[in-house]
Amino acid sequence: MRDLARKRPTINDVAAASGVSRGTVSRVLNEKGNVSLAAETAVRRAVAETGYVVNRAARSLKTNRTGSIVMVLSEPQERLFEDPNFSVLMRVATNQLAERDMSLVLMVAGDDGGRDRVARYLRGGHADGALLISTHSGDPLLEAIERSDVPAVACGAVLGRESVIPYAAADDRGGARAMTEYLVARGRRRIGMITGPLDTPGGSLRLEGFTSVLGRRATKQMVVHSDYSQAGGEAAMRRLLETVPDLDAVFVASDLMAAGALQVLHTAGRRVPDDVAVGGFDDSAVATATRPMLTTVRQPLATVAEETVRLLTALLDDEPVEPVVLPTELIIRESA
């Protein structure tokens, strides 16, 4: 009977097609060096002509590497689709890893079940490293990751573990300070703030930047904490209007929450920016979709993602790493 499926090409087929030894083919495929340009060119051409695909399972047994990285998102699953920042992080990380012929696996750890699945996955040796996204201090998953001995790097510092888990981040404190100084310079006197969760760096450090400018004027009633969602921004803005009815500006710690705040101000008949100036943080796609468009703090999220991957791959190569903090930029639009 005639075979219905073509025989899968092997490394020996590549060697025969390229006219070099099997060892030379292996060195080219594993990027080991010590191969002439002519031989490498011949091997690459033979791989394309034969349709040879590296057997990752066999390579994993030899190198003790899986060729995959797990991205751990410590938020509810619905936040993945609501917040455009996460899609930027995933896209950039996927592209960066692809350059090293590595794959990205996304796992959501927003509840106990998700955290248990991530812990089992890492203990099972299914990933070479972990990229931590939106990690909260005190998260029990952190201890599980450390016990797994899987190298981990965070996008944004993990509060309380800054010296333990390497990270790349935007200058949250400096960006918040710049926004608050701008609102003061515009003559605003009753400035409130809607923060993110205080167990995240974006929550605590942006609040520190805000209070460093206002000092004693930043009273407890002027600050409301929320969860980085649009619905959370709406609820926080309603509370602020109840406690500070003469509010004339609000700094919101994410563009998504700021979109919710704008909706509440519109419903309450408060004109933006005439009655209340609104500032956000991120300069995500949300910032130019609101009406009016948001004055916000641009964080270089794509570069942060690139640096996070660079740090992790450096760890995998046993290279020393240091935290990376990137500058932010104030972007002025119609809302303030």
Side-chain angles (χ1 to χ4, degrees):
M1 180 183 293
R2 183 168 56 89
D3 287 341
L4 297 179
R6 181 185 174 189
K7 179 177 173 290
R8 184 174 182 176
T10 68
I11 193 171
N12 292 326
D13 295 324
V14 176
S18 59
V20 301
S21 70
R22 189 179 189 279
T24 299
V25 173
S26 178
R27 286 195 295 276
V28 171
L29 296 178
N30 290 289
E31 300 180 351
K32 295 296 186 181
N34 299 321
V35 178
S36 70
L37 179 59
E40 180 176 354
T41 302
V43 169
R44 300 291 184 194
R45 183 185 301 114
V47 167
E49 291 174 349
T50 61
Y52 175 75
V53 177
V54 175
N55 186 328
R56 289 191 175 276
R59 175 181 283 186
S60 179
L61 289 173
K62 276 189 174 184
T63 65
N64 201 29
R65 293 278 184 91
T66 66
S68 68
I69 297 296
V70 61
M71 176 178 278
V72 182
L73 175 63
S74 297
E75 296 290 349
Q77 185 170 342
E78 57 269 21
R79 199 69 51 75
L80 173 65
F81 303 100
E82 181 185 26
D83 193 327
N85 288 338
F86 297 138
S87 64
V88 173
L89 294 173
M90 287 180 60
R91 172 178 54 79
V92 174
T94 298
N95 291 339
Q96 288 289 105
L97 290 169
E99 294 180 3
R100 289 177 61 104
D101 198 23
M102 301 181 76
S103 301
L104 184 72
V105 177
L106 173 67
M107 299 190 76
V108 178
D111 56 24
D112 289 341
R115 286 187 281 271
D116 288 343
R117 282 189 292 275
V118 171
R120 291 197 303 271
Y121 190 83
L122 294 176
R123 285 199 307 270
H126 301 297
D128 297 325
L131 293 174
L132 309 181
I133 308 296
S134 197
T135 308
H136 299 251
S137 64
D139 188 334
L141 179 60
L142 293 169
E143 293 184 5
I145 290 173
E146 290 174 4
R147 288 197 302 270
S148 73
D149 291 326
V150 173
V153 172
C155 183
V158 179
L159 299 181
R161 278 182 160 87
E162 293 92 340
S163 61
V164 178
I165 300 177
Y167 64 91
D171 183 2
D172 291 302
R173 188 186 290 106
R177 188 165 53 242
M179 174 63 76
T180 310
E181 288 172 345
Y182 173 74
L183 293 174
V184 170
R186 298 291 293 176
R188 306 293 170 156
R189 293 292 176 263
R190 297 285 283 169
I191 306 172
M193 181 177 181
I194 297 174
T195 81
L198 296 186
D199 58 357
T200 65
S204 64
L205 297 180
R206 292 171 197 177
L207 177 59
E208 285 181 18
F210 175 76
T211 57
S212 71
V213 175
L214 294 183
R216 293 182 179 180
R217 285 183 288 167
T219 63
K220 287 185 178 181
Q221 70 177 21
M222 304 293 288
V223 177
V224 177
H225 310 302
S226 192
D227 62 359
Y228 290 132
S229 70
Q230 182 166 339
E234 292 175 3
M237 192 68 246
R238 280 193 288 268
R239 290 200 300 275
L240 263 181
L241 288 178
E242 289 172 2
T243 57
V244 192
D246 58 343
L247 188 83
D248 65 4
V250 58
F251 168 39
V252 191
S254 84
D255 292 344
L256 195 58
M257 289 195 298
L262 285 171
Q263 189 68 29
V264 170
L265 289 168
H266 175 73
T267 301
R270 302 294 182 92
R271 296 170 302 164
V272 177
D274 304 67
D275 301 326
V276 181
V278 178
F281 201 108
D282 289 333
D283 197 30
S284 65
V286 174
T288 54
T290 60
R291 294 295 178 268
M293 291 193 291
L294 275 173
T295 289
T296 188
V297 176
R298 175 178 295 164
Q299 58 169 327
L301 201 58
T303 307
V304 169
E306 290 173 357
E307 286 296 304
T308 304
V309 172
R310 183 188 64 79
L311 291 174
L312 183 56
T313 54
L315 283 182
L316 295 178
D317 294 336
D318 295 321
E319 297 175 2
V321 298
E322 294 290 339
V324 176
V325 178
L326 298 164
T328 57
E329 180 184 0
L330 182 65
I331 304 298
I332 300 171
R333 298 193 181 97
E334 292 88 347
S335 71

